[in-house]
């Protein structure tokens, strides 16, 4: 059976932290589906099309990666796509508490799906999409936090 993982997130925008997690996870899986969750209650800075197009550009040469979006529950999307793994990154204890809740609820809803966590590289710990958005809003330089493909 193919080992398929879904990496769900907002990726608003994708950062060097996300990319590092994806690259480190690649040897473990036959396929990683990077999927932007469509959340009608959460407004994004960048459009869905823009976010998808940046991620596709970054991983254009990577045959094991698919980039898409989904609505509804992550576990339902995983089941639909035969993915038995959810990939997430952990930066801090706050991330841990948040991820523990989601991970345990997901496991209750779909016991065939395991969440796999990667600890962030130390240099990526302070990077988050929300900080990147804040710095952009105020005209600051985010070049050390995002890949060059993210042109806005
Ligand atoms: P969400 O809206 O689901 O939190 P994000 O795009 O913010 O989506 O994050 C997706 C995943 O990537 C989460 O597991 C998050 O913890 C992880 N992540 C975000 N930034 C980093 C980083 N700098 N290093 C490692 N993992 C990260």
């Amino acid at each position: 059976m193919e080992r398929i993982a879904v990496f769900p997130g907002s990726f608003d925008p994708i950062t060097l932290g996300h990319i590092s997690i994806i690259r480190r996870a690649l040897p473990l899986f036959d396929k990683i589906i990077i999927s932007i969750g469509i959340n009608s209650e959460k407004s994004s800075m960048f459009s869905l099309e823009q976010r998808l197009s940046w991620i596709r550009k970054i991983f254009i040469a990577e045959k094991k990666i698919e980039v898409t979006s989904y609505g509804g529950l992550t576990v339902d999307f995983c089941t639909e796509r035969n993915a038995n793994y959810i990939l997430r990154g952990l930066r801090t204890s706050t991330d841990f508490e948040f991820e523990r809740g989601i991970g345990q609820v997901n496991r209750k809803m779909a016991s065939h799906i395991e969440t796999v966590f990667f600890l962030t590289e130390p240099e990526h710990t302070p990077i988050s999409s929300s900080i990147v958005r804040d710095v952009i809003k105020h005209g600051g330089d985010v070049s050390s936090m995002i890949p060059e493909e993210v042109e806005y």
Side-chain angles (χ1 to χ4, degrees):
M1 202 167 76
E2 262 198 321
R3 283 177 184 269
I4 305 173
V6 166
F7 188 31
S10 311
F11 306 108
D12 187 31
I14 189 164
T15 69
L16 296 182
H18 295 126
I19 293 171
S20 162
I21 300 287
I22 295 161
R23 294 215 183 279
R24 286 165 60 202
L26 265 178
L28 266 59
F29 300 103
D30 298 305
K31 181 175 193 166
I32 294 180
I33 305 171
I34 305 170
S35 200
I36 300 182
I38 302 166
N39 184 345
S40 51
E41 273 154 36
K42 206 166 152 185
S43 66
S44 62
M45 178 166 191
F46 300 105
S47 71
L48 176 63
E49 290 67 33
Q50 177 69 93
R51 287 178 279 157
L52 287 169
S53 126
W54 282 329
I55 305 172
R56 289 194 175 119
K57 200 167 168 193
I58 294 162
F59 294 107
I60 194 155
E62 189 43 73
K63 300 279 171 286
K64 284 161 80 174
I65 289 182
E66 179 186 332
V67 184
T68 187
S69 61
Y70 70 102
L73 293 175
T74 305
V75 289
D76 289 344
F77 176 69
C78 290
T79 304
E80 222 172 83
R81 300 300 312 270
N82 280 325
N84 287 332
Y85 304 93
I86 294 174
L87 193 59
R88 298 291 284 178
L90 289 177
R91 286 161 294 188
T92 60
S93 53
T94 312
D95 271 358
F96 172 76
E97 284 304 330
F98 180 71
E99 295 293 342
R100 184 182 54 77
I102 301 179
Q104 288 175 340
V105 169
N106 281 342
R107 182 120 183 99
K108 209 164 187 159
M109 291 191 291
S111 59
H112 60 290
I113 299 173
E114 287 288 357
T115 306
V116 179
F117 298 100
F118 276 72
L119 288 182
T120 187
E121 296 285 3
E123 67 268 29
H124 294 143
T125 304
I127 304 177
S128 71
S129 297
S130 65
I131 289 178
V132 168
R133 292 195 300 274
D134 256 11
V135 176
I136 290 174
K137 264 185 212 151
H138 297 98
D141 178 11
V142 289
S143 57
S144 63
M145 295 187 271
I146 56 170
E148 60 187 22
E149 287 85 353
V150 174
E151 289 177 291
Y152 52 91

